[in-house]
Amino acid sequence: MLPNQEAFFIFVTMEKVAFIINPFSAKKNYQPFLNELKKKVENPLYYISESIQGTDEFIQKHFSDTDIFVAIGGDGTISTVAQNLINTEKILAIFPAGSGNGFSNETQFSKNLDELLEKLNQRKSRKIDTFTVNGRLSINVSGTGFDGKVVKEFEKTSRGFKNYIKVSLKTFFSYKPIKLKFFDEKYQKYNGKYLMINIANTRQFGNNAYIAPMASKSDGLVDMVLVKKFPLTYSALFAFRMFTKKLKDDDYVTYLPVSEIEFRVNTKNWHLDGEFNKIKSPIHIKVQPSSLTILI
């Protein structure tokens, strides 16, 4: 194939594709990705996001003439882009550039641009579930309690896995469990104090930490994960099980698969896909089955 033919081929197959870059992800070093993209795709349509509002406006501006929106960032960036694509035929694609990359790990997107471009050429897709927390979208894992506090403190750092571990350890020893109260009578036996409460659409937080190893993003359910504060002697076992996909119901961990549920907690500190949010109780969780189309 002649060089000009190759360029023409790439240009044609990248039509109706838009790339949305979070410049604050990947330690604010997005330029290598953009340079490589420009070398491999002729005149790519891209946007360097200045804000959530700016991302929303860019997507709406190009919505009618774009089939695939590629999010370059972490789970928060992906969720922002996905918010605009819920219950449409528009396709979400991902180039992971966050600190945890939980959702991209669970949807088999790698940090290899050639692999991504090949997927974009083939344009195969599938529908997956999402869910809402008091109407706010989540695509991966959201939670309150210990991990909500960790995310709040983590956002004060320069991020990165090491800082996440440092913040987690510091928070663990000082954190007081939160109180949980269900409205539905059949769940009231689980009322009590918990270290953290997670709502898992996929299996992992990120960094291959599997909080809900049996969760599925296409079964119409989320796993509600209730974790009691455990003694230091249990922490190594908990960590081992989490990183080897072996967490299960025991004296400290309870799994409740649900499609919709309401409850109250005595904290407003939540994280939605790793982004800190203030959310007031009562809390209403609702699964949105087959609501998001992703590239495969």
Side-chain angles (χ1 to χ4, degrees):
M1 182 178 287
L2 296 174
N4 62 335
Q5 290 178 306
E6 183 177 2
F8 178 73
F9 172 74
I10 295 173
F11 173 69
V12 169
T13 53
M14 288 302 105
E15 280 186 341
K16 297 192 173 185
V17 176
F19 298 84
I20 299 168
I21 301 169
N22 181 351
F24 302 105
S25 293
K27 299 180 180 178
K28 302 182 181 180
N29 188 24
Y30 67 89
Q31 198 61 50
F33 168 84
L34 187 55
N35 292 342
E36 187 179 4
L37 179 67
K38 288 180 177 179
K39 287 179 182 177
K40 295 181 175 179
V41 177
E42 186 175 338
N43 297 322
L45 174 61
Y46 69 90
Y47 171 66
I48 300 173
S49 178
E50 298 173 352
S51 63
I52 292 175
Q53 181 182 351
T55 295
D56 293 343
E57 290 174 354
F58 173 83
I59 293 173
Q60 294 310 312
K61 179 181 178 181
H62 296 281
F63 197 81
S64 62
D65 55 8
T66 301
D67 292 336
I68 306 174
F69 290 90
V70 184
I72 298 94
D75 285 350
T77 305
I78 297 163
S79 186
T80 297
V81 175
Q83 177 74 60
N84 293 273
L85 312 183
I86 293 295
N87 294 319
T88 75
E89 294 305 312
K90 303 300 181 180
I91 300 170
L92 172 70
I94 301 162
F95 186 88
S99 54
N101 300 317
F103 187 75
S104 56
N105 290 344
E106 290 293 284
T107 47
Q108 287 76 56
F109 285 96
S110 72
K111 295 182 179 181
N112 184 312
L113 182 57
D114 289 334
E115 287 183 11
L116 175 60
L117 295 179
E118 181 60 30
K119 285 185 176 184
L120 290 170
N121 279 331
Q122 294 179 3
R123 304 205 174 200
K124 296 178 181 178
S125 63
R126 62 171 291 200
K127 297 274 190 182
I128 65 167
D129 303 335
T130 60
F131 69 96
T132 57
V133 181
N134 285 11
R136 304 187 197 189
L137 179 70
S138 180
I139 58 175
N140 195 53
V141 178
S142 294
T144 186
F146 169 73
D147 56 331
K149 176 67 171 177
V150 167
V151 168
K152 182 179 181 180
E153 297 303 315
F154 182 56
E155 289 190 348
K156 299 175 183 177
T157 72
S158 58
R159 291 189 172 253
F161 186 55
K162 288 183 179 179
N163 281 330
Y164 186 82
I165 295 298
K166 288 179 182 178
V167 170
S168 297
L169 289 172
K170 183 180 179 181
T171 304
F172 180 82
F173 292 105
S174 62
Y175 194 76
K176 294 180 180 179
I178 60 170
K179 294 179 182 178
L180 166 68
K181 184 177 181 180
F182 287 103
F183 295 140
D184 192 322
E185 188 174 337
K186 72 177 180 179
Y187 293 113
Q188 288 180 0
K189 63 182 177 181
Y190 300 107
N191 289 353
K193 294 181 179 180
Y194 292 92
L195 175 68
M196 59 183 177
I197 299 162
N198 288 288
I199 314 299
N201 186 44
T202 73
R203 300 175 299 167
Q204 64 170 293
F205 290 125
N207 293 305
N208 298 311
Y210 292 87
I211 188 63
M214 300 303 291
S216 167
K217 54 189 173 293
S218 56
D219 63 354
L221 300 169
V222 288
D223 276 4
M224 187 171 182
V225 190
L226 311 179
V227 182
K228 293 180 180 178
K229 190 158 187 177
F230 43 78
L232 190 60
T233 52
Y234 178 85
S235 58
L237 178 60
F238 181 85
F240 172 78
R241 286 178 174 174
M242 185 165 63
F243 284 101
T244 57
K245 309 178 190 177
K246 292 179 180 178
L247 271 182
K248 58 184 180 180
D249 283 278
D250 63 13
D251 290 342
Y252 300 105
V253 183
T254 300
Y255 289 95
L256 303 176
V258 298
S259 59
E260 185 172 6
I261 198 164
E262 287 187 284
F263 56 89
R264 185 179 295 276
V265 288
N266 64 333
T267 178
K268 298 177 185 177
N269 292 340
W270 278 77
H271 76 86
L272 302 183
D273 300 324
E275 299 293 319
F276 180 73
N277 280 255
K278 286 276 189 183
I279 306 178
K280 187 178 180 179
S281 286
I283 302 299
H284 180 207
I285 306 295
K286 184 175 176 59
V287 176
Q288 302 181 114
S290 303
S291 54
L292 180 63
T293 306
I294 61 167
L295 196 70
I296 59 173

